[in-house]
Amino acid sequence: MQGDLERILFDEGAIHQRLDELAATITRDYQERELTVIAILNGSLIFAADLLRRIPIPLRLDCLNVASYHGGTKPSNAPVVGQINLRDLESRHVLILDDILDSGMTLAAVCNTITAAKPLTVRTCVLLEKTKTTSRPIKADYIGFKIADEFVIGYGLDYMERYRNLRYIGVLRHDLIAETKA
Ligand code: IMP
Ligand code: MG
């Protein structure tokens, strides 16, 4: 699989070092708060597993299935938010985890769904944010790394459901991307 990469952006050591920092900040911010983490699947699965084990405060974990890409590298306009059990979010502080903030459509759709359940607070945490100039409907409160506008894979991120199990994050070779022309 490594041959399918243009280059590696963040190796395992760099990711784990950044997770230590992110986790320390989140731990400090949520001391004495009733924290519910909502991880957006499948992309944030590995990120969430590694991040949450670095956060030594009581928390509840829920997972949410959201499909924003229907195959390929271009998001569809309408992310499909799956089932979530919105049990007693009213007394909770919610932290939503996602793998990457691109157009922001996915996170905005999830935030709207969560906000409707009236939690005390809602914040977002993403492993990656693409530093595009286009304005987004939402911003992330916690960001692992900012990256250029390239298609990346690994550490949970996929291309056509492949590469999620890479231990690092890298840029997919351009010739492997089958562009879907609108
Ligand atoms: P958004 O709704 O455009 O912000 O897209 C967010 C979702 O699209 C992420 O949760 C990813 O699943 C996917 N995505 C966006 N950019 C990339 C990328 O560079 N590589 C892999 N998946 C991506
Ligand atoms: Mg994906």
Side-chain angles (χ1 to χ4, degrees):
M1 283 192 294
Q2 187 156 359
D4 293 356
L5 292 175
E6 198 84 50
R7 65 187 191 284
I8 293 178
L9 281 184
F10 305 107
D11 64 18
E12 211 176 0
I15 295 170
H16 287 173
Q17 193 181 333
R18 184 67 188 121
L19 291 191
D20 285 341
E21 296 167 1
L22 263 186
T25 306
I26 292 168
T27 301
R28 194 191 59 222
D29 290 355
Y30 286 93
Q31 289 289 347
E32 316 294 330
R33 289 184 172 198
E34 299 288 337
L35 175 59
T36 293
V37 173
I38 296 181
I40 303 180
L41 301 181
N42 297 325
S44 79
L45 176 71
I46 292 166
F47 169 45
D50 282 347
L51 181 73
L52 295 183
R53 282 178 292 176
R54 291 170 159 80
I55 299 179
I57 56 176
L59 58 81
R60 221 163 64 187
L61 172 63
D62 280 312
C63 294
L64 183 59
N65 274 303
V66 180
S68 53
Y69 284 27
H70 305 290
T73 62
K74 300 269 188 294
S76 73
N77 284 333
V80 180
V81 181
Q83 285 289 314
I84 184 170
N85 180 0
L86 297 173
R87 55 192 166 129
D88 12 290
L89 284 186
E90 280 168 10
S91 60
R92 312 286 301 184
H93 294 273
V94 173
L95 180 63
I96 302 169
L97 299 186
D98 203 2
D99 52 358
I100 186 165
L101 189 60
D102 188 5
S103 73
M105 301 292 290
T106 306
L107 214 46
V110 171
C111 265
N112 285 342
T113 306
I114 303 298
T115 304
K118 300 195 177 5
L120 294 175
T121 61
V122 181
R123 285 189 192 166
T124 56
C125 173
V126 293
L127 176 62
L128 302 171
E129 181 183 284
K130 289 190 185 174
T131 55
K132 296 204 278 204
T133 46
T134 51
S135 60
R136 295 193 173 94
I138 193 160
K139 72 170 214 22
D141 298 291
Y142 304 94
I143 299 165
F145 302 100
K146 297 195 176 193
I147 62 167
D149 188 17
E150 297 180 292
F151 197 81
V152 294
I153 49 168
Y155 198 72
L157 292 134
D158 74 303
Y159 173 62
M160 311 272 263
E161 295 302 328
R162 291 185 66 193
Y163 308 110
R164 293 195 198 276
N165 52 330
L166 290 175
R167 305 173 85 104
Y168 42 80
I169 298 166
V171 178
L172 183 63
R173 263 174 40 207
H174 202 75
D175 59 290
L176 294 177
I177 297 175
E179 294 292 345
T180 43
K181 302 229 160 33

mmCIF file of all heavy atoms in Angstrom, residues 131-163:
data_model
loop_
_atom_site.group_PDB
_atom_site.id
_atom_site.type_symbol
_atom_site.label_atom_id
_atom_site.label_comp_id
_atom_site.label_asym_id
_atom_site.label_seq_id
_atom_site.Cartn_x
_atom_site.Cartn_y
_atom_site.Cartn_z
ATOM 1 N N THR A 131 -6.587 23.699 4.741
ATOM 2 C CA THR A 131 -6.528 25.171 4.802
ATOM 3 C C THR A 131 -6.917 25.757 3.454
ATOM 4 O O THR A 131 -6.097 26.348 2.760
ATOM 5 C CB THR A 131 -5.118 25.650 5.179
ATOM 6 O OG1 THR A 131 -4.207 25.077 4.245
ATOM 7 C CG2 THR A 131 -4.754 25.234 6.577
ATOM 8 N N LYS A 132 -8.162 25.543 3.099
ATOM 9 C CA LYS A 132 -8.672 26.126 1.867
ATOM 10 C C LYS A 132 -9.202 27.514 2.182
ATOM 11 O O LYS A 132 -9.579 27.804 3.307
ATOM 12 C CB LYS A 132 -9.813 25.283 1.303
ATOM 13 C CG LYS A 132 -9.381 23.913 0.890
ATOM 14 C CD LYS A 132 -10.305 23.338 -0.144
ATOM 15 C CE LYS A 132 -11.541 22.722 0.445
ATOM 16 N NZ LYS A 132 -12.132 21.714 -0.442
ATOM 17 N N THR A 133 -9.250 28.358 1.166
ATOM 18 C CA THR A 133 -9.725 29.716 1.416
ATOM 19 C C THR A 133 -11.246 29.799 1.453
ATOM 20 O O THR A 133 -11.792 30.747 1.999
ATOM 21 C CB THR A 133 -9.202 30.685 0.340
ATOM 22 O OG1 THR A 133 -9.395 30.071 -0.928
ATOM 23 C CG2 THR A 133 -7.738 30.993 0.554
ATOM 24 N N THR A 134 -11.908 28.791 0.900
ATOM 25 C CA THR A 134 -13.377 28.836 0.862
ATOM 26 C C THR A 134 -13.955 28.872 2.273
ATOM 27 O O THR A 134 -13.457 28.224 3.177
ATOM 28 C CB THR A 134 -13.950 27.591 0.147
ATOM 29 O OG1 THR A 134 -13.356 26.446 0.738
ATOM 30 C CG2 THR A 134 -13.681 27.628 -1.330
ATOM 31 N N SER A 135 -15.004 29.640 2.463
ATOM 32 C CA SER A 135 -15.592 29.728 3.798
ATOM 33 C C SER A 135 -16.393 28.463 4.084
ATOM 34 O O SER A 135 -16.961 27.848 3.191
ATOM 35 C CB SER A 135 -16.488 30.951 3.894
ATOM 36 O OG SER A 135 -17.508 30.850 2.944
ATOM 37 N N ARG A 136 -16.410 28.083 5.349
ATOM 38 C CA ARG A 136 -17.115 26.860 5.758
ATOM 39 C C ARG A 136 -18.307 27.219 6.626
ATOM 40 O O ARG A 136 -18.313 28.236 7.293
ATOM 41 C CB ARG A 136 -16.179 25.975 6.584
ATOM 42 C CG ARG A 136 -14.995 25.437 5.837
ATOM 43 C CD ARG A 136 -14.342 24.353 6.660
ATOM 44 N NE ARG A 136 -13.291 23.703 5.901
ATOM 45 C CZ ARG A 136 -12.017 24.057 5.972
ATOM 46 N NH1 ARG A 136 -11.650 25.033 6.771
ATOM 47 N NH2 ARG A 136 -11.110 23.442 5.251
ATOM 48 N N PRO A 137 -19.295 26.320 6.683
ATOM 49 C CA PRO A 137 -20.449 26.576 7.555
ATOM 50 C C PRO A 137 -20.116 26.354 9.032
ATOM 51 O O PRO A 137 -20.949 26.604 9.891
ATOM 52 C CB PRO A 137 -21.492 25.553 7.069
ATOM 53 C CG PRO A 137 -20.693 24.456 6.461
ATOM 54 C CD PRO A 137 -19.462 25.089 5.886
ATOM 55 N N ILE A 138 -18.906 25.888 9.320
ATOM 56 C CA ILE A 138 -18.562 25.525 10.697
ATOM 57 C C ILE A 138 -17.056 25.610 10.884
ATOM 58 O O ILE A 138 -16.299 25.472 9.924
ATOM 59 C CB ILE A 138 -19.064 24.094 10.996
ATOM 60 C CG1 ILE A 138 -19.003 23.816 12.483
ATOM 61 C CG2 ILE A 138 -18.303 23.036 10.204
ATOM 62 C CD1 ILE A 138 -19.894 22.682 12.915
ATOM 63 N N LYS A 139 -16.617 25.836 12.133
ATOM 64 C CA LYS A 139 -15.181 25.766 12.401
ATOM 65 C C LYS A 139 -14.915 24.714 13.474
ATOM 66 O O LYS A 139 -15.808 24.404 14.266
ATOM 67 C CB LYS A 139 -14.636 27.127 12.819
ATOM 68 C CG LYS A 139 -15.040 27.594 14.212
ATOM 69 C CD LYS A 139 -14.234 28.816 14.560
ATOM 70 C CE LYS A 139 -13.872 28.966 16.027
ATOM 71 N NZ LYS A 139 -13.838 27.850 16.921
ATOM 72 N N ALA A 140 -13.688 24.192 13.471
ATOM 73 C CA ALA A 140 -13.341 23.188 14.478
ATOM 74 C C ALA A 140 -12.731 23.871 15.688
ATOM 75 O O ALA A 140 -11.975 24.836 15.559
ATOM 76 C CB ALA A 140 -12.368 22.177 13.884
ATOM 77 N N ASP A 141 -13.075 23.388 16.882
ATOM 78 C CA ASP A 141 -12.526 23.968 18.109
ATOM 79 C C ASP A 141 -11.144 23.407 18.423
ATOM 80 O O ASP A 141 -10.309 24.096 18.989
ATOM 81 C CB ASP A 141 -13.481 23.688 19.273
ATOM 82 C CG ASP A 141 -14.834 24.338 19.049
ATOM 83 O OD1 ASP A 141 -14.893 25.575 19.091
ATOM 84 O OD2 ASP A 141 -15.814 23.615 18.789
ATOM 85 N N TYR A 142 -10.915 22.151 18.086
ATOM 86 C CA TYR A 142 -9.612 21.520 18.303
ATOM 87 C C TYR A 142 -9.161 20.915 16.978
ATOM 88 O O TYR A 142 -9.940 20.196 16.340
ATOM 89 C CB TYR A 142 -9.702 20.402 19.348
ATOM 90 C CG TYR A 142 -10.257 20.848 20.683
ATOM 91 C CD1 TYR A 142 -11.616 20.723 20.973
ATOM 92 C CD2 TYR A 142 -9.419 21.387 21.658
ATOM 93 C CE1 TYR A 142 -12.132 21.123 22.199
ATOM 94 C CE2 TYR A 142 -9.927 21.790 22.892
ATOM 95 C CZ TYR A 142 -11.282 21.658 23.152
ATOM 96 O OH TYR A 142 -11.780 22.055 24.363
ATOM 97 N N ILE A 143 -7.916 21.204 16.601
ATOM 98 C CA ILE A 143 -7.404 20.732 15.305
ATOM 99 C C ILE A 143 -6.048 20.062 15.516
ATOM 100 O O ILE A 143 -5.164 20.634 16.166
ATOM 101 C CB ILE A 143 -7.244 21.917 14.330
ATOM 102 C CG1 ILE A 143 -8.592 22.600 14.077
ATOM 103 C CG2 ILE A 143 -6.639 21.445 12.999
ATOM 104 C CD1 ILE A 143 -8.478 23.969 13.432
ATOM 105 N N GLY A 144 -5.910 18.842 14.967
ATOM 106 C CA GLY A 144 -4.625 18.147 15.059
ATOM 107 C C GLY A 144 -3.583 18.811 14.174
ATOM 108 O O GLY A 144 -2.605 19.385 14.648
ATOM 109 N N PHE A 145 -3.807 18.736 12.865
ATOM 110 C CA PHE A 145 -2.875 19.311 11.899
ATOM 111 C C PHE A 145 -3.647 20.043 10.809
ATOM 112 O O PHE A 145 -4.710 19.582 10.396
ATOM 113 C CB PHE A 145 -2.071 18.215 11.190
ATOM 114 C CG PHE A 145 -1.276 17.322 12.086
ATOM 115 C CD1 PHE A 145 -1.747 16.060 12.431
ATOM 116 C CD2 PHE A 145 -0.029 17.719 12.565
ATOM 117 C CE1 PHE A 145 -1.012 15.214 13.242
ATOM 118 C CE2 PHE A 145 0.727 16.874 13.375
ATOM 119 C CZ PHE A 145 0.237 15.627 13.719
ATOM 120 N N LYS A 146 -3.067 21.153 10.345
ATOM 121 C CA LYS A 146 -3.625 21.815 9.162
ATOM 122 C C LYS A 146 -2.840 21.352 7.945
ATOM 123 O O LYS A 146 -1.608 21.274 7.996
ATOM 124 C CB LYS A 146 -3.515 23.328 9.318
ATOM 125 C CG LYS A 146 -4.339 23.831 10.489
ATOM 126 C CD LYS A 146 -4.540 25.318 10.446
ATOM 127 C CE LYS A 146 -5.459 25.705 11.606
ATOM 128 N NZ LYS A 146 -5.979 27.049 11.525
ATOM 129 N N ILE A 147 -3.560 21.055 6.854
ATOM 130 C CA ILE A 147 -2.888 20.553 5.653
ATOM 131 C C ILE A 147 -3.374 21.312 4.417
ATOM 132 O O ILE A 147 -4.421 21.947 4.449
ATOM 133 C CB ILE A 147 -3.138 19.030 5.443
ATOM 134 C CG1 ILE A 147 -4.632 18.745 5.249
ATOM 135 C CG2 ILE A 147 -2.579 18.219 6.589
ATOM 136 C CD1 ILE A 147 -4.920 17.343 4.724
ATOM 137 N N ALA A 148 -2.585 21.199 3.352
ATOM 138 C CA ALA A 148 -2.965 21.820 2.084
ATOM 139 C C ALA A 148 -4.138 21.048 1.471
ATOM 140 O O ALA A 148 -4.540 20.005 1.973
ATOM 141 C CB ALA A 148 -1.774 21.823 1.136
ATOM 142 N N ASP A 149 -4.651 21.560 0.374
ATOM 143 C CA ASP A 149 -5.815 20.933 -0.257
ATOM 144 C C ASP A 149 -5.396 19.747 -1.122
ATOM 145 O O ASP A 149 -5.360 19.830 -2.344
ATOM 146 C CB ASP A 149 -6.571 21.980 -1.082
ATOM 147 C CG ASP A 149 -7.884 21.428 -1.604
ATOM 148 O OD1 ASP A 149 -8.345 20.399 -1.073
ATOM 149 O OD2 ASP A 149 -8.437 22.021 -2.536
ATOM 150 N N GLU A 150 -5.035 18.646 -0.464
ATOM 151 C CA GLU A 150 -4.626 17.428 -1.166
ATOM 152 C C GLU A 150 -5.460 16.286 -0.601
ATOM 153 O O GLU A 150 -5.925 16.356 0.537
ATOM 154 C CB GLU A 150 -3.155 17.127 -0.905
ATOM 155 C CG GLU A 150 -2.223 18.192 -1.433
ATOM 156 C CD GLU A 150 -0.775 17.849 -1.160
ATOM 157 O OE1 GLU A 150 -0.372 17.852 0.015
ATOM 158 O OE2 GLU A 150 -0.044 17.589 -2.118
ATOM 159 N N PHE A 151 -5.594 15.216 -1.387
ATOM 160 C CA PHE A 151 -6.364 14.081 -0.905
ATOM 161 C C PHE A 151 -5.456 13.151 -0.101
ATOM 162 O O PHE A 151 -4.476 12.626 -0.625
ATOM 163 C CB PHE A 151 -7.055 13.334 -2.036
ATOM 164 C CG PHE A 151 -8.150 12.448 -1.522
ATOM 165 C CD1 PHE A 151 -9.401 12.973 -1.220
ATOM 166 C CD2 PHE A 151 -7.913 11.101 -1.273
ATOM 167 C CE1 PHE A 151 -10.396 12.170 -0.682
ATOM 168 C CE2 PHE A 151 -8.910 10.295 -0.743
ATOM 169 C CZ PHE A 151 -10.153 10.836 -0.449
ATOM 170 N N VAL A 152 -5.787 12.974 1.166
ATOM 171 C CA VAL A 152 -4.922 12.202 2.054
ATOM 172 C C VAL A 152 -5.605 10.907 2.505
ATOM 173 O O VAL A 152 -6.828 10.813 2.547
ATOM 174 C CB VAL A 152 -4.509 13.036 3.287
ATOM 175 C CG1 VAL A 152 -3.640 14.204 2.877
ATOM 176 C CG2 VAL A 152 -5.730 13.539 4.067
ATOM 177 N N ILE A 153 -4.768 9.943 2.845
ATOM 178 C CA ILE A 153 -5.261 8.628 3.257
ATOM 179 C C ILE A 153 -4.462 8.133 4.452
ATOM 180 O O ILE A 153 -3.383 8.641 4.748
ATOM 181 C CB ILE A 153 -5.141 7.589 2.113
ATOM 182 C CG1 ILE A 153 -3.724 7.641 1.529
ATOM 183 C CG2 ILE A 153 -6.203 7.806 1.060
ATOM 184 C CD1 ILE A 153 -3.399 6.500 0.606
ATOM 185 N N GLY A 154 -5.006 7.120 5.111
ATOM 186 C CA GLY A 154 -4.299 6.474 6.207
ATOM 187 C C GLY A 154 -4.805 6.924 7.564
ATOM 188 O O GLY A 154 -5.491 7.936 7.688
ATOM 189 N N TYR A 155 -4.490 6.149 8.587
ATOM 190 C CA TYR A 155 -4.864 6.461 9.969
ATOM 191 C C TYR A 155 -6.369 6.758 10.064
ATOM 192 O O TYR A 155 -6.801 7.729 10.633
ATOM 193 C CB TYR A 155 -4.027 7.629 10.500
ATOM 194 C CG TYR A 155 -4.050 7.724 12.001
ATOM 195 C CD1 TYR A 155 -3.379 6.791 12.793
ATOM 196 C CD2 TYR A 155 -4.762 8.729 12.631
ATOM 197 C CE1 TYR A 155 -3.427 6.859 14.171
ATOM 198 C CE2 TYR A 155 -4.819 8.812 14.016
ATOM 199 C CZ TYR A 155 -4.147 7.877 14.771
ATOM 200 O OH TYR A 155 -4.194 7.945 16.138
ATOM 201 N N GLY A 156 -7.162 5.912 9.401
ATOM 202 C CA GLY A 156 -8.621 6.066 9.433
ATOM 203 C C GLY A 156 -9.205 6.628 8.154
ATOM 204 O O GLY A 156 -10.352 6.358 7.813
ATOM 205 N N LEU A 157 -8.401 7.420 7.444
ATOM 206 C CA LEU A 157 -8.917 8.056 6.223
ATOM 207 C C LEU A 157 -8.808 7.107 5.040
ATOM 208 O O LEU A 157 -7.803 6.421 4.871
ATOM 209 C CB LEU A 157 -8.125 9.330 5.924
ATOM 210 C CG LEU A 157 -8.346 10.439 6.941
ATOM 211 C CD1 LEU A 157 -7.031 11.048 7.360
ATOM 212 C CD2 LEU A 157 -9.284 11.486 6.377
ATOM 213 N N ASP A 158 -9.843 7.110 4.193
ATOM 214 C CA ASP A 158 -9.890 6.147 3.103
ATOM 215 C C ASP A 158 -9.945 6.815 1.739
ATOM 216 O O ASP A 158 -10.275 7.996 1.616
ATOM 217 C CB ASP A 158 -11.141 5.272 3.239
ATOM 218 C CG ASP A 158 -12.413 6.036 2.856
ATOM 219 O OD1 ASP A 158 -12.658 7.089 3.463
ATOM 220 O OD2 ASP A 158 -13.124 5.608 1.926
ATOM 221 N N TYR A 159 -9.633 6.012 0.736
ATOM 222 C CA TYR A 159 -10.025 6.318 -0.634
ATOM 223 C C TYR A 159 -10.750 5.071 -1.117
ATOM 224 O O TYR A 159 -10.158 3.983 -1.116
ATOM 225 C CB TYR A 159 -8.820 6.617 -1.531
ATOM 226 C CG TYR A 159 -9.205 6.768 -2.987
ATOM 227 C CD1 TYR A 159 -10.079 7.777 -3.382
ATOM 228 C CD2 TYR A 159 -8.729 5.898 -3.961
ATOM 229 C CE1 TYR A 159 -10.458 7.921 -4.695
ATOM 230 C CE2 TYR A 159 -9.102 6.036 -5.293
ATOM 231 C CZ TYR A 159 -9.969 7.042 -5.644
ATOM 232 O OH TYR A 159 -10.363 7.178 -6.959
ATOM 233 N N MET A 160 -12.013 5.193 -1.471
ATOM 234 C CA MET A 160 -12.837 4.056 -1.865
ATOM 235 C C MET A 160 -12.754 2.919 -0.835
ATOM 236 O O MET A 160 -12.635 1.762 -1.201
ATOM 237 C CB MET A 160 -12.415 3.527 -3.239
ATOM 238 C CG MET A 160 -12.278 4.604 -4.289
ATOM 239 S SD MET A 160 -13.801 4.954 -5.145
ATOM 240 C CE MET A 160 -13.595 3.964 -6.608
ATOM 241 N N GLU A 161 -12.784 3.312 0.453
ATOM 242 C CA GLU A 161 -12.784 2.376 1.588
ATOM 243 C C GLU A 161 -11.455 1.637 1.802
ATOM 244 O O GLU A 161 -11.382 0.725 2.630
ATOM 245 C CB GLU A 161 -13.939 1.368 1.496
ATOM 246 C CG GLU A 161 -15.313 2.019 1.613
ATOM 247 C CD GLU A 161 -15.519 2.809 2.903
ATOM 248 O OE1 GLU A 161 -14.953 2.424 3.937
ATOM 249 O OE2 GLU A 161 -16.233 3.833 2.845
ATOM 250 N N ARG A 162 -10.391 2.036 1.088
ATOM 251 C CA ARG A 162 -9.076 1.415 1.317
ATOM 252 C C ARG A 162 -8.186 2.352 2.136
ATOM 253 O O ARG A 162 -8.477 3.528 2.256
ATOM 254 C CB ARG A 162 -8.390 1.126 -0.021
ATOM 255 C CG ARG A 162 -9.060 0.035 -0.822
ATOM 256 C CD ARG A 162 -8.239 -0.270 -2.055
ATOM 257 N NE ARG A 162 -6.937 -0.846 -1.719
ATOM 258 C CZ ARG A 162 -5.940 -0.978 -2.597
ATOM 259 N NH1 ARG A 162 -6.071 -0.562 -3.820
ATOM 260 N NH2 ARG A 162 -4.801 -1.511 -2.219
ATOM 261 N N TYR A 163 -7.117 1.811 2.639
ATOM 262 C CA TYR A 163 -6.008 2.537 3.300
ATOM 263 C C TYR A 163 -6.287 2.971 4.736
ATOM 264 O O TYR A 163 -5.432 3.598 5.347
ATOM 265 C CB TYR A 163 -5.595 3.788 2.492
ATOM 266 C CG TYR A 163 -5.305 3.546 1.039
ATOM 267 C CD1 TYR A 163 -6.161 4.033 0.054
ATOM 268 C CD2 TYR A 163 -4.179 2.829 0.645
ATOM 269 C CE1 TYR A 163 -5.904 3.827 -1.290
ATOM 270 C CE2 TYR A 163 -3.901 2.612 -0.706
ATOM 271 C CZ TYR A 163 -4.776 3.108 -1.663
ATOM 272 O OH TYR A 163 -4.521 2.907 -2.997
#
